[in-house]
Structure formats: C-alpha cells, structure tokens
Amino acid sequence: MNYSLITLQSRFRHVVLADGDAPRNPIACNLLKSAESLVCCDRAAATAFRLGLTPTAVVGDGDSIPENLREHYAELWHHIAEQDSNDLTKATRWTMSLPTFDKQTDNTVCYLGATGKREDHTISNISLMAYYLDEYALNPVMVTDYGWFVAIHGDATLEVLPRQQVSIFNFSCKHLDATGLKWKPWAFERLWCGSLNEALGTEVQFHADGTYLIYRTFERKG
C-alpha cells in the first residue's frame, strides 16, 4: 500500500475531532474545515463551534461537554454511556455508521486534536490507531501540529521528503526492515527504539509481517 505526504492540498472526507490541543497548524486546520463529516468527542464540539464549524455529530459519555452546549445542540448530541471504550473509539464507531461512510471505497478516518493536554490520553489515542487498523480494518491517520501518524500492517511504500524525520513504533512485527532511511530498522522490542530516523530521498519502502505506526514530521531537519 502507498502512503502519500500530507500537505496543504490534502483532504479527508471523515474527520474525528478530539478534545486535546486544538489544531493550529495550517495543514491540520484545512483538514478540519474541509471535512465532509465531522464527529466531535464530547467537549471538542466547543472547539468546532468556536471555529464556525457545525459537527455532523457530537459523541461521548457526556462527562466533559458543558450542559449549555449539550442543550443548545441537542439534535447533534449522542450519549453513549458505556465505559469499555473511550470517546475517541465511540466517535470512530459513529463515523463508521454514517450513511456517507463506505469502507469499500474509502476506509480512511483522520483524527485531529487527539494529542496534547493529558499525557495518558495522548498515549492511549496514538496506540488506538493500531487497534483501529487491526480490529476495524480502518486506515487511521492522526494529524498533529507537527506531523502525522499512520497505522500500517505488512509491506508499504511511503512518500517522504529528503531529511524528513521518520519514526517507527512496532506493535506486532516479528520482522521489519526498510530501504530509504538513514538508519536500518528492525522489529524493535521497545517503542522508543525506532524513533527519530531520517529519510534519505523521496521514498521509503517497508517490509514487515505485522502492525506498526509511522510518524512523519511536516518540517524537514535543517
């Protein structure tokens, strides 16, 4: 599978907005404003409304959304009380249930605002990208103000920029290698071991037998 760069011209049909740090990077902001469907996690709806956006739905357990916001936009609010999954997962399942979502033609969901604020939420949300790939057969993309994560299973070709920073986080690979990186990767047993690699040219090819996350920075190393 091929994974293109994300630029100012990139667009995703389905976006989930979480209640972490609100997007500020122009690329992330464009993705938020151009989405065909925008599902917000609880209080993230306040961010959407502040930016002049009307969500498709606001989903969550209701523990953080202000009462006045919930009442004012009652037609958009969907309360899911179960605590076996977090609001990001509830919003993901809601997105997949939309009539406009067709997994056969476009199984990509873009996540914004999913990092920042509480570190435990950040780690959980990032790790869920691998879970959504394995369990829901989604192509999850998490975009921050500094770069983006993609979840991958097996072989892949990534479009990159020379000197772009590339980090690899192994979840289930027993074998993993790649061409086009400054340092040769392997099936790392610790999450930190594959971080802070660097692209040599415009393409990186991965060969792997399991699931892993790739993070690419928007800015190249100076």
Side-chain angles (χ1 to χ4, degrees):
M1 186 168 176
N2 295 325
Y3 295 84
S4 301
L5 291 169
I6 293 180
T7 68
L8 280 170
Q9 287 70 49
S10 299
R11 298 291 184 270
F12 293 103
R13 292 183 63 203
H14 304 288
V15 168
V16 170
L17 179 64
D19 189 36
D21 288 342
R24 292 181 296 175
N25 182 290
I27 294 175
C29 289
N30 279 353
L31 295 174
L32 179 61
K33 294 175 182 178
S34 63
E36 292 183 25
S37 72
L38 173 61
V39 178
C40 293
C41 302
D42 260 12
R43 192 168 52 188
T47 299
F49 292 128
R50 187 174 68 250
L51 295 173
L53 303 173
T54 301
T56 306
V58 183
V59 178
D61 58 15
D63 64 350
S64 63
I65 187 170
E67 186 65 29
N68 63 329
L69 193 65
R70 188 190 313 179
E71 292 176 354
H72 191 69
Y73 296 100
E75 72 280 4
L76 302 177
W77 167 243
H78 303 278
H79 180 240
I80 302 176
E82 60 91 357
Q83 296 296 309
D84 292 334
S85 54
N86 69 357
D87 286 345
L88 197 75
T89 301
K90 293 171 185 175
T92 297
R93 292 199 297 258
W94 192 271
T95 298
M96 294 173 64
S97 73
L98 292 171
T100 57
F101 187 86
D102 184 353
K103 190 187 292 187
Q104 302 304 315
T105 59
D106 182 9
N107 68 337
T108 300
V109 177
C110 175
Y111 297 86
L112 299 170
T115 61
K117 295 184 180 177
R118 280 179 50 176
E119 289 82 0
D120 53 348
H121 284 312
T122 293
I123 294 172
S124 295
N125 289 342
I126 292 172
S127 66
L128 278 168
M129 299 300 99
Y131 177 79
Y132 297 156
L133 171 66
D134 290 340
E135 298 298 322
Y136 297 163
L138 291 180
N139 177 31
V141 179
M142 179 182 289
V143 180
T144 75
D145 283 336
Y146 308 99
W148 71 100
F149 293 90
V150 293
I152 302 172
H153 187 93
D155 296 350
T157 299
L158 274 69
E159 183 182 3
V160 292
L161 301 169
R163 305 208 71 188
Q164 185 176 27
Q165 301 299 282
V166 179
S167 290
I168 308 159
F169 301 95
N170 180 29
F171 278 71
S172 64
C173 296
K174 301 300 182 184
H175 169 79
L176 187 152
D177 62 38
T179 58
L181 293 172
K182 188 172 183 178
W183 293 284
K184 182 176 177 59
W186 65 94
F188 309 108
E189 295 182 358
R190 305 286 184 179
L191 284 178
W192 63 268
C193 291
S195 62
L196 309 179
N197 212 319
E198 186 175 309
L200 297 175
T202 59
E203 183 178 280
V204 175
Q205 292 190 338
F206 282 92
H207 303 282
D209 62 0
T211 298
Y212 52 105
L213 297 183
I214 299 294
Y215 178 82
R216 283 170 284 177
T217 57
F218 286 128
E219 295 186 1
R220 290 183 274 185
K221 190 172 183 179

